PDB file of all heavy atoms in Angstrom:
ATOM      1  N   PHE A 212      76.258  67.147 132.689  1.00  0.00           N
ATOM      2  CA  PHE A 212      75.357  66.049 132.321  1.00  0.00           C
ATOM      3  C   PHE A 212      74.808  66.252 130.902  1.00  0.00           C
ATOM      4  O   PHE A 212      74.710  65.303 130.125  1.00  0.00           O
ATOM      5  CB  PHE A 212      74.197  65.954 133.308  1.00  0.00           C
ATOM      6  CG  PHE A 212      74.566  65.318 134.630  1.00  0.00           C
ATOM      7  CD1 PHE A 212      73.647  65.284 135.665  1.00  0.00           C
ATOM      8  CD2 PHE A 212      75.813  64.756 134.838  1.00  0.00           C
ATOM      9  CE1 PHE A 212      73.961  64.691 136.877  1.00  0.00           C
ATOM     10  CE2 PHE A 212      76.148  64.165 136.048  1.00  0.00           C
ATOM     11  CZ  PHE A 212      75.217  64.142 137.075  1.00  0.00           C
ATOM     12  N   GLY A 213      74.441  67.480 130.595  1.00  0.00           N
ATOM     13  CA  GLY A 213      73.872  67.766 129.279  1.00  0.00           C
ATOM     14  C   GLY A 213      74.889  67.736 128.155  1.00  0.00           C
ATOM     15  O   GLY A 213      74.511  67.780 126.978  1.00  0.00           O
ATOM     16  N   GLN A 214      76.189  67.686 128.502  1.00  0.00           N
ATOM     17  CA  GLN A 214      77.234  67.652 127.488  1.00  0.00           C
ATOM     18  C   GLN A 214      77.734  66.242 127.191  1.00  0.00           C
ATOM     19  O   GLN A 214      78.546  66.045 126.290  1.00  0.00           O
ATOM     20  CB  GLN A 214      78.418  68.510 127.946  1.00  0.00           C
ATOM     21  CG  GLN A 214      78.066  69.965 128.207  1.00  0.00           C
ATOM     22  CD  GLN A 214      79.221  70.731 128.847  1.00  0.00           C
ATOM     23  OE1 GLN A 214      80.384  70.326 128.753  1.00  0.00           O
ATOM     24  NE2 GLN A 214      78.897  71.837 129.513  1.00  0.00           N
ATOM     25  N   VAL A 215      77.247  65.256 127.962  1.00  0.00           N
ATOM     26  CA  VAL A 215      77.708  63.877 127.790  1.00  0.00           C
ATOM     27  C   VAL A 215      77.291  63.364 126.412  1.00  0.00           C
ATOM     28  O   VAL A 215      76.122  63.448 126.030  1.00  0.00           O
ATOM     29  CB  VAL A 215      77.139  62.966 128.894  1.00  0.00           C
ATOM     30  CG1 VAL A 215      77.445  61.497 128.601  1.00  0.00           C
ATOM     31  CG2 VAL A 215      77.712  63.361 130.247  1.00  0.00           C
ATOM     32  N   THR A 216      78.246  62.852 125.662  1.00  0.00           N
ATOM     33  CA  THR A 216      77.968  62.324 124.322  1.00  0.00           C
ATOM     34  C   THR A 216      77.929  60.807 124.292  1.00  0.00           C
ATOM     35  O   THR A 216      77.251  60.215 123.456  1.00  0.00           O
ATOM     36  CB  THR A 216      79.031  62.814 123.331  1.00  0.00           C
ATOM     37  OG1 THR A 216      80.331  62.486 123.831  1.00  0.00           O
ATOM     38  CG2 THR A 216      78.931  64.321 123.122  1.00  0.00           C
ATOM     39  N   LYS A 217      78.676  60.184 125.192  1.00  0.00           N
ATOM     40  CA  LYS A 217      78.679  58.719 125.293  1.00  0.00           C
ATOM     41  C   LYS A 217      78.694  58.353 126.765  1.00  0.00           C
ATOM     42  O   LYS A 217      79.327  59.048 127.577  1.00  0.00           O
ATOM     43  CB  LYS A 217      79.877  58.124 124.561  1.00  0.00           C
ATOM     44  CG  LYS A 217      79.837  58.360 123.049  1.00  0.00           C
ATOM     45  CD  LYS A 217      81.010  57.720 122.328  1.00  0.00           C
ATOM     46  CE  LYS A 217      80.827  57.847 120.806  1.00  0.00           C
ATOM     47  NZ  LYS A 217      81.050  59.219 120.325  1.00  0.00           N
ATOM     48  N   ALA A 218      77.999  57.260 127.102  1.00  0.00           N
ATOM     49  CA  ALA A 218      77.907  56.890 128.515  1.00  0.00           C
ATOM     50  C   ALA A 218      77.800  55.384 128.660  1.00  0.00           C
ATOM     51  O   ALA A 218      77.326  54.687 127.759  1.00  0.00           O
ATOM     52  CB  ALA A 218      76.701  57.571 129.170  1.00  0.00           C
ATOM     53  N   VAL A 219      78.233  54.901 129.815  1.00  0.00           N
ATOM     54  CA  VAL A 219      78.120  53.489 130.160  1.00  0.00           C
ATOM     55  C   VAL A 219      77.422  53.379 131.504  1.00  0.00           C
ATOM     56  O   VAL A 219      77.798  54.069 132.460  1.00  0.00           O
ATOM     57  CB  VAL A 219      79.504  52.804 130.239  1.00  0.00           C
ATOM     58  CG1 VAL A 219      79.345  51.321 130.565  1.00  0.00           C
ATOM     59  CG2 VAL A 219      80.262  52.976 128.936  1.00  0.00           C
ATOM     60  N   VAL A 220      76.397  52.530 131.557  1.00  0.00           N
ATOM     61  CA  VAL A 220      75.624  52.356 132.788  1.00  0.00           C
ATOM     62  C   VAL A 220      75.402  50.868 133.047  1.00  0.00           C
ATOM     63  O   VAL A 220      75.335  50.067 132.120  1.00  0.00           O
ATOM     64  CB  VAL A 220      74.251  53.066 132.700  1.00  0.00           C
ATOM     65  CG1 VAL A 220      74.434  54.574 132.610  1.00  0.00           C
ATOM     66  CG2 VAL A 220      73.444  52.559 131.503  1.00  0.00           C
ATOM     67  N   GLY A 221      75.323  50.510 134.310  1.00  0.00           N
ATOM     68  CA  GLY A 221      75.012  49.140 134.670  1.00  0.00           C
ATOM     69  C   GLY A 221      73.515  48.894 134.615  1.00  0.00           C
ATOM     70  O   GLY A 221      72.713  49.814 134.819  1.00  0.00           O
ATOM     71  N   ILE A 222      73.133  47.649 134.320  1.00  0.00           N
ATOM     72  CA  ILE A 222      71.719  47.265 134.277  1.00  0.00           C
ATOM     73  C   ILE A 222      71.514  46.114 135.240  1.00  0.00           C
ATOM     74  O   ILE A 222      72.279  45.143 135.240  1.00  0.00           O
ATOM     75  CB  ILE A 222      71.291  46.792 132.876  1.00  0.00           C
ATOM     76  CG1 ILE A 222      71.488  47.906 131.848  1.00  0.00           C
ATOM     77  CG2 ILE A 222      69.838  46.332 132.880  1.00  0.00           C
ATOM     78  CD1 ILE A 222      71.234  47.448 130.427  1.00  0.00           C
ATOM     79  N   GLY A 223      70.491  46.199 136.048  1.00  0.00           N
ATOM     80  CA  GLY A 223      70.198  45.099 136.961  1.00  0.00           C
ATOM     81  C   GLY A 223      68.781  45.158 137.473  1.00  0.00           C
ATOM     82  O   GLY A 223      68.064  46.146 137.273  1.00  0.00           O
ATOM     83  N   ALA A 224      68.372  44.083 138.134  1.00  0.00           N
ATOM     84  CA  ALA A 224      67.066  44.072 138.782  1.00  0.00           C
ATOM     85  C   ALA A 224      67.065  45.118 139.892  1.00  0.00           C
ATOM     86  O   ALA A 224      68.044  45.252 140.625  1.00  0.00           O
ATOM     87  CB  ALA A 224      66.778  42.686 139.348  1.00  0.00           C
ATOM     88  N   TRP A 225      65.985  45.840 140.033  1.00  0.00           N
ATOM     89  CA  TRP A 225      65.973  46.959 140.971  1.00  0.00           C
ATOM     90  C   TRP A 225      66.113  46.478 142.417  1.00  0.00           C
ATOM     91  O   TRP A 225      66.579  47.221 143.279  1.00  0.00           O
ATOM     92  CB  TRP A 225      64.700  47.788 140.798  1.00  0.00           C
ATOM     93  CG  TRP A 225      63.541  47.296 141.601  1.00  0.00           C
ATOM     94  CD1 TRP A 225      62.745  46.236 141.309  1.00  0.00           C
ATOM     95  CD2 TRP A 225      63.066  47.839 142.825  1.00  0.00           C
ATOM     96  NE1 TRP A 225      61.794  46.080 142.270  1.00  0.00           N
ATOM     97  CE2 TRP A 225      61.966  47.058 143.229  1.00  0.00           C
ATOM     98  CE3 TRP A 225      63.451  48.902 143.635  1.00  0.00           C
ATOM     99  CZ2 TRP A 225      61.258  47.300 144.397  1.00  0.00           C
ATOM    100  CZ3 TRP A 225      62.752  49.154 144.796  1.00  0.00           C
ATOM    101  CH2 TRP A 225      61.668  48.353 145.160  1.00  0.00           C
ATOM    102  N   ASP A 226      65.735  45.224 142.684  1.00  0.00           N
ATOM    103  CA  ASP A 226      65.878  44.690 144.041  1.00  0.00           C
ATOM    104  C   ASP A 226      66.943  43.599 144.102  1.00  0.00           C
ATOM    105  O   ASP A 226      66.971  42.782 145.004  1.00  0.00           O
ATOM    106  CB  ASP A 226      64.552  44.139 144.548  1.00  0.00           C
ATOM    107  CG  ASP A 226      63.966  43.069 143.628  1.00  0.00           C
ATOM    108  OD1 ASP A 226      64.531  42.860 142.529  1.00  0.00           O
ATOM    109  OD2 ASP A 226      62.958  42.451 143.999  1.00  0.00           O
ATOM    110  N   GLY A 227      67.837  43.581 143.088  1.00  0.00           N
ATOM    111  CA  GLY A 227      68.871  42.561 143.029  1.00  0.00           C
ATOM    112  C   GLY A 227      70.047  42.880 143.934  1.00  0.00           C
ATOM    113  O   GLY A 227      70.116  43.949 144.573  1.00  0.00           O
ATOM    114  N   PRO A 228      71.037  41.973 144.000  1.00  0.00           N
ATOM    115  CA  PRO A 228      72.181  42.151 144.896  1.00  0.00           C
ATOM    116  C   PRO A 228      73.049  43.349 144.561  1.00  0.00           C
ATOM    117  O   PRO A 228      73.759  43.862 145.418  1.00  0.00           O
ATOM    118  CB  PRO A 228      72.958  40.835 144.734  1.00  0.00           C
ATOM    119  CG  PRO A 228      72.532  40.277 143.409  1.00  0.00           C
ATOM    120  CD  PRO A 228      71.102  40.691 143.257  1.00  0.00           C
ATOM    121  N   HIS A 229      73.025  43.800 143.312  1.00  0.00           N
ATOM    122  CA  HIS A 229      73.851  44.936 142.914  1.00  0.00           C
ATOM    123  C   HIS A 229      73.053  46.233 142.825  1.00  0.00           C
ATOM    124  O   HIS A 229      73.549  47.230 142.297  1.00  0.00           O
ATOM    125  CB  HIS A 229      74.519  44.649 141.569  1.00  0.00           C
ATOM    126  CG  HIS A 229      75.476  43.500 141.598  1.00  0.00           C
ATOM    127  ND1 HIS A 229      76.630  43.520 142.345  1.00  0.00           N
ATOM    128  CD2 HIS A 229      75.442  42.283 140.997  1.00  0.00           C
ATOM    129  CE1 HIS A 229      77.275  42.379 142.201  1.00  0.00           C
ATOM    130  NE2 HIS A 229      76.565  41.608 141.388  1.00  0.00           N
ATOM    131  N   SER A 230      71.829  46.235 143.330  1.00  0.00           N
ATOM    132  CA  SER A 230      70.999  47.429 143.258  1.00  0.00           C
ATOM    133  C   SER A 230      71.620  48.577 144.042  1.00  0.00           C
ATOM    134  O   SER A 230      72.107  48.398 145.159  1.00  0.00           O
ATOM    135  CB  SER A 230      69.598  47.135 143.802  1.00  0.00           C
ATOM    136  OG  SER A 230      68.855  48.329 143.914  1.00  0.00           O
ATOM    137  N   THR A 231      71.619  49.754 143.435  1.00  0.00           N
ATOM    138  CA  THR A 231      72.112  50.945 144.124  1.00  0.00           C
ATOM    139  C   THR A 231      70.970  51.766 144.713  1.00  0.00           C
ATOM    140  O   THR A 231      71.207  52.759 145.393  1.00  0.00           O
ATOM    141  CB  THR A 231      72.908  51.826 143.146  1.00  0.00           C
ATOM    142  OG1 THR A 231      72.080  52.152 142.030  1.00  0.00           O
ATOM    143  CG2 THR A 231      74.150  51.100 142.650  1.00  0.00           C
ATOM    144  N   VAL A 232      69.745  51.353 144.441  1.00  0.00           N
ATOM    145  CA  VAL A 232      68.571  52.094 144.896  1.00  0.00           C
ATOM    146  C   VAL A 232      67.857  51.368 146.035  1.00  0.00           C
ATOM    147  O   VAL A 232      67.566  51.957 147.081  1.00  0.00           O
ATOM    148  CB  VAL A 232      67.581  52.328 143.734  1.00  0.00           C
ATOM    149  CG1 VAL A 232      66.300  52.968 144.249  1.00  0.00           C
ATOM    150  CG2 VAL A 232      68.206  53.205 142.666  1.00  0.00           C
ATOM    151  N   HIS A 233      67.586  50.087 145.837  1.00  0.00           N
ATOM    152  CA  HIS A 233      66.730  49.325 146.739  1.00  0.00           C
ATOM    153  C   HIS A 233      67.154  49.449 148.204  1.00  0.00           C
ATOM    154  O   HIS A 233      66.348  49.739 149.091  1.00  0.00           O
ATOM    155  CB  HIS A 233      66.708  47.856 146.315  1.00  0.00           C
ATOM    156  CG  HIS A 233      65.705  47.026 147.038  1.00  0.00           C
ATOM    157  ND1 HIS A 233      66.009  46.327 148.192  1.00  0.00           N
ATOM    158  CD2 HIS A 233      64.403  46.779 146.778  1.00  0.00           C
ATOM    159  CE1 HIS A 233      64.950  45.680 148.598  1.00  0.00           C
ATOM    160  NE2 HIS A 233      63.954  45.939 147.776  1.00  0.00           N
TER     161      HIS A 233
END
Side-chain angles (χ1 to χ4, degrees):
F212 283 174
Q214 301 172 21
V215 172
T216 54
K217 295 182 173 73
V219 181
V220 294
I222 300 173
W225 87 282
D226 56 353
H229 296 296
S230 172
T231 56
V232 174
H233 189 268

